Amino acid sequence: MTSQVSSPAEQADGAGGSIGEQRSAHAPDGAGKEIRRVDRVIIRFAGDSGDGMQLTGDRFTSETASFGNDLSTLPNFPAEIRAPAGTLPGVSSFQLHFADHDILTPGDAPNVLVAMNPAALKANIADVPRGAEIIVNTDEFTKRPMAKVGYATSPLEDGSLDAYRVHGVPLTTLTVEALKDFGLSRKEAERSKNMFALGLLSWMYHRPTENTEKFLRQKFAKKPDIAEANIVAFRAGWNFGETTEDFAVSYEVAPATKAFPAGTYRNISGNLALSYGLIAAARQADLPLYLGSYPITPASDILHELSRHKNFGVRTFQAEDEIAGIGAALGAAFGGALGVTTTSGPGVALKSETIGLAVSLELPLLIVDIQRGGPSTGLPTKTEQADLLQAMYGRNGEAPVPIVAPRTAADCFDAAIDAARIALTYRTPVFLLSDGYLANGSEPWRIPDVADLPDLRTRFATAPNHTLADGTEVFWPYKRDPETLARPWAVPGTPGLEHRIGGIEKQDGTGNISYDPANHDHMVRTRQAKIDGITVPDLEVDDPTGTARTLVLGWGSTYGPITAAVRRLRAQGTAIAQTHLRHLNPFPRNLEEVLKRYDKVVVPEMNLGQLATLIRAKYLVDAQSYNQVNGMPFKAEQLATVLKEAIND
């Protein structure tokens, strides 16, 4: 028997607070346990970087996706491969927000925190609202682990957690006891405590279990005893929730049947969606895909994924450094492939000279920058949007490059195809600016029909294209298409189409080396005109009442938090408009008209105001910048407060 209470609209995307406070309706089931039906939940798993929190969160997410909930995730882990155990810098967490309706963010604050040790509790307790549930592994709250993080007394006993509903569970002891028949050492058995926790939470929220057991058998196929041990620990966690008196309530979150159009969906991360987008673009262009890359966090997963798809004509080259990676990709583009290189901010700095060469050669090349915190090595596993000006201007000379930025994890698929369209149509390198939040986060993705994907096929030059005064037919590698200003793309080895490439300035048309001042001026202006003339869709504005005087302008991964904040304000009766940029170079042609339609323009960014600087300079609009550079995405409530203050100012 169940009952349901809907949360207010302004809380529909992760306002935080405990489940019980927001939705008090419940009823006992036939076994004496209560089942409460709620419309959304935010769970955060936290522990040592070796405790398997990312795997635990990923498995819970996969089962949630298969159940049909809308979801959004936020993995958060240290940069060190294995930070010191039990310390604050070594804490790894995974937050999942799932609901029976459309959501946009991983949530502002967890309704449930699973803390595997004192460090996990201390690192995350500030984010947990009063009344929320905290599940702690009591086995770890001994003197030494607590002393490592500055606990003089146990927070489980000194009253400091009285504002929360705390469930003390001896996860380690229970896991070891469940696995006593497997002949494992205590240390080996302890490694399965994350599966015990996953089983407990799966019971608590009525998650499916079959796929997790199947996953474990596949993951440990070569070690069937380990697979079965993990499955037994997982089932023990489920049974513990079913039988213990400490968990008298379980929760149901119905599938989000009204949130999605009809279709086939799967859970997907931004990097995976981007990888699939690159493959789809190459297939739609009827070109081989070549990735020249050097591993770097958080872009490496794209290299890993594309290396699995040789059956789709994908070639991957793990280069010895960033410069070699992009050099190989540009060489592949010269040879007639869709060339791609992946990196993050520090790698972009190393690739900048070759990007300039690609501008001069006018060849299609995709530069995928998964942005992270900087400068220099910065924060390798944290997110930021601080490479916009680097992508726009970070080369010597006048070297314009188009910039495309996805707004959600699933949108990385479409953005990759869009970037490929521009590169192939206009013969230019293109920046694709994702970031760590999108790359590692996940959400449901509607698998598209291949018939609906754009036709990206492009024609190679196959014959001479110019006639000299004496009637001789020749090939001019820089003779341009009058509509796109793109030069012809001739595959090396095509008879009669031999031509010179290189970084020295070319003569217009012939492609011969030229130091003529007038020709250089002409070529610089022509390359700029080509980028300025790229066809991008007009900007769409979300202004339902038409009475808003304040516009929120965003780009990239700020879409989710901005939209959630705007929804909250509108639910309170506040008129506010919103628009979001995918194309940052060139800007949509109607951007100026849109900006000047409003009295105030607010630009939230995870940098110190880079888009706002461009907007002010280009359109002379006094855009108000709101910035955050703490390595984490914006929270919806935080933005809602800022936007309301801007409206009332």
Side-chain angles (χ1 to χ4, degrees), residues 1-2 27-35 242:
M1 179 178 179
T2 61
D29 67 12
K33 293 268 188 177
E34 293 180 357
I35 301 176
E242 183 74 22

mmCIF file of all heavy atoms in Angstrom, residues 1-2 27-35 242:
data_model
loop_
_atom_site.group_PDB
_atom_site.id
_atom_site.type_symbol
_atom_site.label_atom_id
_atom_site.label_comp_id
_atom_site.label_asym_id
_atom_site.label_seq_id
_atom_site.Cartn_x
_atom_site.Cartn_y
_atom_site.Cartn_z
ATOM 1 N N MET A 1 0.851 -1.193 0.000
ATOM 2 C CA MET A 1 0.000 0.000 0.000
ATOM 3 C C MET A 1 0.876 1.228 0.000
ATOM 4 O O MET A 1 1.790 1.340 0.805
ATOM 5 C CB MET A 1 -0.906 -0.002 1.228
ATOM 6 C CG MET A 1 -1.817 1.222 1.335
ATOM 7 S SD MET A 1 -2.889 1.100 2.780
ATOM 8 C CE MET A 1 -3.762 2.643 2.652
ATOM 9 N N THR A 2 0.612 2.165 -0.873
ATOM 10 C CA THR A 2 1.417 3.385 -0.947
ATOM 11 C C THR A 2 0.531 4.586 -1.124
ATOM 12 O O THR A 2 -0.624 4.494 -1.532
ATOM 13 C CB THR A 2 2.388 3.327 -2.135
ATOM 14 O OG1 THR A 2 1.629 3.214 -3.347
ATOM 15 C CG2 THR A 2 3.335 2.147 -2.038
ATOM 16 N N ALA A 27 2.327 4.863 4.260
ATOM 17 C CA ALA A 27 1.421 3.824 4.737
ATOM 18 C C ALA A 27 2.222 2.561 4.979
ATOM 19 O O ALA A 27 3.212 2.307 4.303
ATOM 20 C CB ALA A 27 0.323 3.554 3.709
ATOM 21 N N PRO A 28 1.821 1.752 5.948
ATOM 22 C CA PRO A 28 2.543 0.502 6.196
ATOM 23 C C PRO A 28 2.226 -0.529 5.135
ATOM 24 O O PRO A 28 1.119 -0.580 4.617
ATOM 25 C CB PRO A 28 2.013 0.067 7.566
ATOM 26 C CG PRO A 28 0.642 0.661 7.643
ATOM 27 C CD PRO A 28 0.715 1.962 6.901
ATOM 28 N N ASP A 29 3.227 -1.357 4.822
ATOM 29 C CA ASP A 29 2.958 -2.467 3.912
ATOM 30 C C ASP A 29 2.529 -3.678 4.724
ATOM 31 O O ASP A 29 2.442 -3.644 5.949
ATOM 32 C CB ASP A 29 4.172 -2.770 3.027
ATOM 33 C CG ASP A 29 5.356 -3.305 3.806
ATOM 34 O OD1 ASP A 29 5.167 -3.647 4.984
ATOM 35 O OD2 ASP A 29 6.460 -3.392 3.228
ATOM 36 N N GLY A 30 2.299 -4.758 4.025
ATOM 37 C CA GLY A 30 1.768 -5.937 4.691
ATOM 38 C C GLY A 30 2.733 -6.565 5.674
ATOM 39 O O GLY A 30 2.333 -7.320 6.542
ATOM 40 N N ALA A 31 4.026 -6.276 5.545
ATOM 41 C CA ALA A 31 5.024 -6.902 6.405
ATOM 42 C C ALA A 31 5.381 -6.037 7.599
ATOM 43 O O ALA A 31 6.294 -6.343 8.339
ATOM 44 C CB ALA A 31 6.278 -7.213 5.593
ATOM 45 N N GLY A 32 4.670 -4.930 7.784
ATOM 46 C CA GLY A 32 4.960 -4.052 8.897
ATOM 47 C C GLY A 32 5.911 -2.933 8.572
ATOM 48 O O GLY A 32 6.089 -2.012 9.361
ATOM 49 N N LYS A 33 6.561 -2.990 7.428
ATOM 50 C CA LYS A 33 7.441 -1.914 6.991
ATOM 51 C C LYS A 33 6.614 -0.862 6.256
ATOM 52 O O LYS A 33 5.657 -1.190 5.555
ATOM 53 C CB LYS A 33 8.513 -2.457 6.040
ATOM 54 C CG LYS A 33 9.508 -3.403 6.707
ATOM 55 C CD LYS A 33 10.713 -2.659 7.221
ATOM 56 C CE LYS A 33 11.787 -3.629 7.696
ATOM 57 N NZ LYS A 33 13.006 -2.926 8.133
ATOM 58 N N GLU A 34 6.991 0.370 6.407
ATOM 59 C CA GLU A 34 6.295 1.440 5.706
ATOM 60 C C GLU A 34 6.952 1.694 4.352
ATOM 61 O O GLU A 34 8.169 1.597 4.210
ATOM 62 C CB GLU A 34 6.317 2.725 6.528
ATOM 63 C CG GLU A 34 5.511 2.649 7.811
ATOM 64 C CD GLU A 34 5.569 3.943 8.587
ATOM 65 O OE1 GLU A 34 6.283 4.869 8.145
ATOM 66 O OE2 GLU A 34 4.918 4.025 9.640
ATOM 67 N N ILE A 35 6.128 2.017 3.371
ATOM 68 C CA ILE A 35 6.622 2.425 2.063
ATOM 69 C C ILE A 35 6.111 3.821 1.798
ATOM 70 O O ILE A 35 4.900 4.062 1.803
ATOM 71 C CB ILE A 35 6.135 1.480 0.941
ATOM 72 C CG1 ILE A 35 6.595 0.046 1.202
ATOM 73 C CG2 ILE A 35 6.651 1.963 -0.407
ATOM 74 C CD1 ILE A 35 6.064 -0.946 0.195
ATOM 75 N N GLU A 242 15.746 -5.234 4.759
ATOM 76 C CA GLU A 242 14.437 -5.880 4.865
ATOM 77 C C GLU A 242 14.125 -6.323 6.287
ATOM 78 O O GLU A 242 12.958 -6.303 6.720
ATOM 79 C CB GLU A 242 14.408 -7.097 3.928
ATOM 80 C CG GLU A 242 13.089 -7.837 3.877
ATOM 81 C CD GLU A 242 12.018 -7.100 3.100
ATOM 82 O OE1 GLU A 242 12.361 -6.248 2.254
ATOM 83 O OE2 GLU A 242 10.829 -7.382 3.359
#
